[in-house]
Amino acid sequence: MNFRLAPRGPSTAAALALAAAAMLVPANVLPVLTTESSGGVRSDTIFSGAIELWREGMWPLAVIVCTASILIPLLKLAGLAWLLLGARPGSSAKSRRMTRIYAALDFIGRWSMLDVFLAAFLTGLVRFGEFSTVTPRAGIVAFAAAVVLTVLATRAFDPRTLWPAAALSPP
Amino acid sequence: MNLPKPKLSRAPAFPLVWVVPLIAVAIVGWMGFSELHDRGPEITIDFADGSGVEAGKTVLEYLGVSAGAVVSVELKPGLAGVAVRLRLKKRAAALANSGARFWIVHPEIGFSGVHGLDTLVTGVHLNVLPGGGPPARRFKGLDKPPVPDVVDEGRAFVLQSDRLGSLTTGAPVFYREFKVGEVEVSRLSDDSKAVLIRIHVDAPYVNLVRTNSRFWNAGGFSLKVSLFGGAQLRNTSLESLVAGGVAFATPDRGPLAPAAPDGGRFILAPEPGSDWIKWSPNIPIVAPEAAERPAPKGGILNELIK
């Protein structure tokens, strides 16, 4: 279905990746959730939320949040940027390695919405009026946008550009 | 074979996808701007004691509405107190003017009733009385709520008592169990043989205090039980039962004594004399309720407001 004869230029993927990179900034700087409970009001960015989890003794969860929400989006974009900019098809071993990286990027994409899922989940679940409310903030929107744009950029990237031009000519 | 002809098109010089990052950058810029725009100044308040204040949780309230939040709570160098850093909201920036008085609201029972009961559940919050000076960044916090500013043209009187009882700042002053003023401040007399209590009577009621008025401590209640008389419970009102208070009455026999001057001194009796409560002199006042509201025509409300 998605098969295209002519390789698409890297322009689309690069544009989307750039947009995703821009969105990652507010996603990490702005608060993603505001929690109002009897203890008061607090707004958390992704990072401060992970720190708080760590302080509360929930280390595994803190590590998961840090990995899924900060590390993976960054690594994905970095990987994509490397494929787009630095990667020139050389030996077929190099092409194979880069294709494997691309496949990995494509695969993890669908798992990076953990935070958004969590926010949607909490917002729906924790609605006890006076006692406790969770409200999503601008950061989570930016985060979701960054993730979606990264997925689109990965999709728009044509892995055939990773191979020597000879491979593209019809048999 | 009848194949359709391929459509050939040149690659556009500026691919449309590049609009996406442009929009993204614009959105990011707008997000950043609106976030920074809502921020007010950051101020630091020094408190002698910061019990209950928590970073990220404690808010500053003004007129009952959140005006900012505590960013951090740190001990000052040399353990000389606590420095509370506070981020104000944009609209509350005027609270950061020198002369503003900040204090921590703890739950309290006894200051003119029950105060800050919500802080039992929500934790403490900060409160502020704005100052009129130039903008400032550092403030000295109060240890306790400030004495309320006198806003009307009432009069202050000084009561002298053997003991303070439960008369703290804000305790009510009653006339016929109707609140007409508040206790302002109390201190020991210079010879330490009595307690001096300054009360403030609100403007419309100042005429009720005559030079021969008698004051008594209306706080608490007394229970007298006798074999034949049964049980007699004396108390004034629920408010004074909890918070203490002062009541006064003016004798109704003979001509009415002149109105007491500002700063007039009275003795505060521990209990009312047997007939004080029955005194009911005719003293004209202008009740604020009647002055502000035109009386409705007829009906039981008319009787009440008149």
Side-chain angles (χ1 to χ4, degrees):
Chain A
M1 286 282 271
N2 280 329
F3 190 72
R4 287 183 301 269
L5 260 179
R8 234 201 290 180
S11 157
T12 308
L16 293 172
L18 196 70
M23 277 298 174
L24 265 190
V25 177
N28 281 289
V29 173
L30 298 186
V32 288
L33 276 184
T34 292
T35 322
E36 270 179 73
S37 66
S38 51
V41 184
R42 61 172 300 152
S43 294
D44 276 307
T45 63
I46 295 174
F47 192 63
S48 78
I51 296 273
E52 187 62 22
L53 284 174
W54 184 274
R55 280 218 301 239
E56 300 269 321
M58 292 182 257
W59 302 311
L61 217 54
V63 170
I64 288 178
V65 169
C66 251
T67 317
S69 306
I70 300 174
L71 234 53
I72 287 186
L74 273 179
L75 284 178
K76 272 191 65 175
L77 269 183
L80 205 57
W82 182 66
L83 290 184
L84 280 166
L85 300 174
R88 289 285 162 269
S91 63
S92 87
K94 194 185 171 194
S95 290
R96 191 166 290 126
R97 197 165 62 240
M98 289 198 295
T99 308
R100 216 170 278 139
I101 289 175
Y102 172 76
L105 289 181
D106 195 32
F107 177 75
I108 33 175
R110 66 198 75 173
W111 298 105
S112 24
M113 284 294 230
L114 185 80
D115 268 44
V116 182
F117 170 71
L118 200 70
F121 192 69
L122 285 177
T123 307
L125 203 65
V126 187
R127 281 238 179 261
F128 303 122
E130 282 288 302
F131 297 106
S132 197
T133 332
V134 172
T135 326
R137 295 285 301 275
I140 202 75
V141 179
F143 184 82
V147 170
V148 168
L149 285 169
T150 313
V151 169
L152 289 179
T154 318
R155 278 287 150 90
F157 183 78
D158 195 330
R160 285 174 299 177
T161 56
L162 298 174
W163 293 84
L168 286 176
S169 56
Chain B
M1 290 292 256
N2 192 10
L3 289 172
K5 273 197 174 165
K7 257 192 225 162
L8 294 175
S9 60
R10 280 198 300 147
F14 182 80
L16 208 60
V17 261
W18 284 97
V19 174
V20 177
L22 284 182
I23 293 175
V25 168
I27 291 176
V28 168
W30 174 75
M31 275 176 156
F33 173 76
S34 69
E35 193 74 10
L36 286 179
H37 191 73
D38 282 346
R39 283 191 179 190
E42 193 176 275
I43 57 170
T44 307
I45 311 165
D46 298 322
F47 283 107
D49 182 301
S51 53
V53 177
E54 282 181 75
K57 268 189 182 177
T58 309
V59 295
L60 171 72
E61 287 190 1
Y62 179 63
L63 302 177
V65 175
S66 162
V70 172
V71 180
S72 77
V73 188
E74 301 281 354
L75 280 175
K76 289 208 287 184
L79 306 179
V82 180
V84 174
R85 275 201 304 137
L86 200 73
R87 166 72 68 186
L88 291 179
K89 288 184 178 171
K90 176 95 176 168
R91 297 240 167 142
L95 291 177
N97 286 349
S98 62
R101 286 170 290 173
F102 295 86
W103 70 98
I104 303 173
V105 180
H106 295 280
E108 260 167 307
I109 296 177
F111 278 46
S112 74
V114 183
H115 262 314
L117 200 61
D118 51 337
T119 59
L120 269 182
V121 184
T122 59
V124 304
H125 61 253
L126 302 178
N127 214 331
V128 58
L129 272 180
R137 289 290 170 269
R138 192 147 198 132
F139 295 89
K140 181 124 185 48
L142 305 176
D143 295 337
K144 50 186 178 183
V147 177
D149 285 336
V150 178
V151 284
D152 65 8
E153 294 286 303
R155 264 177 221 163
F157 303 101
V158 178
L159 307 180
Q160 185 178 331
S161 173
D162 289 343
R163 58 192 69 237
L164 183 58
S166 51
L167 298 175
T168 40
T169 301
V173 174
F174 294 110
Y175 185 78
R176 294 175 169 273
E177 298 182 19
F178 180 81
K179 187 179 165 185
V180 295
E182 280 187 356
V183 170
E184 277 190 345
V185 68
S186 53
R187 68 173 180 87
L188 277 175
S189 65
D190 291 339
D191 57 3
S192 69
K193 287 174 83 172
V195 181
L196 300 180
I197 303 153
R198 200 171 83 211
I199 63 167
H200 176 265
V201 174
D202 298 337
Y205 311 112
V206 287
N207 279 342
L208 294 174
V209 185
R210 318 305 288 200
T211 49
N212 62 344
S213 291
R214 310 298 290 266
F215 286 80
W216 69 93
N217 190 332
F221 62 94
S222 68
L223 184 62
K224 286 183 190 151
V225 185
S226 64
L227 195 53
F228 300 107
Q232 268 193 321
L233 181 70
R234 176 191 75 85
N235 76 314
T236 46
S237 71
L238 191 61
E239 191 183 0
S240 66
L241 188 69
V242 177
V246 171
F248 67 95
T250 303
D252 52 0
R253 271 160 305 188
L256 200 62
D262 197 30
R265 277 204 176 212
F266 295 90
I267 301 286
L268 181 67
E271 275 187 47
S274 52
D275 56 343
W276 293 4
I277 300 170
K278 295 192 191 96
W279 288 344
S280 108
N282 193 345
I283 307 172
I285 57 159
V286 182
E289 289 85 352
E292 284 165 10
R293 227 178 296 163
K297 295 217 161 35
I300 197 164
L301 256 178
N302 204 1
E303 287 296 303
L304 199 65
I305 294 172
K306 189 180 74 187

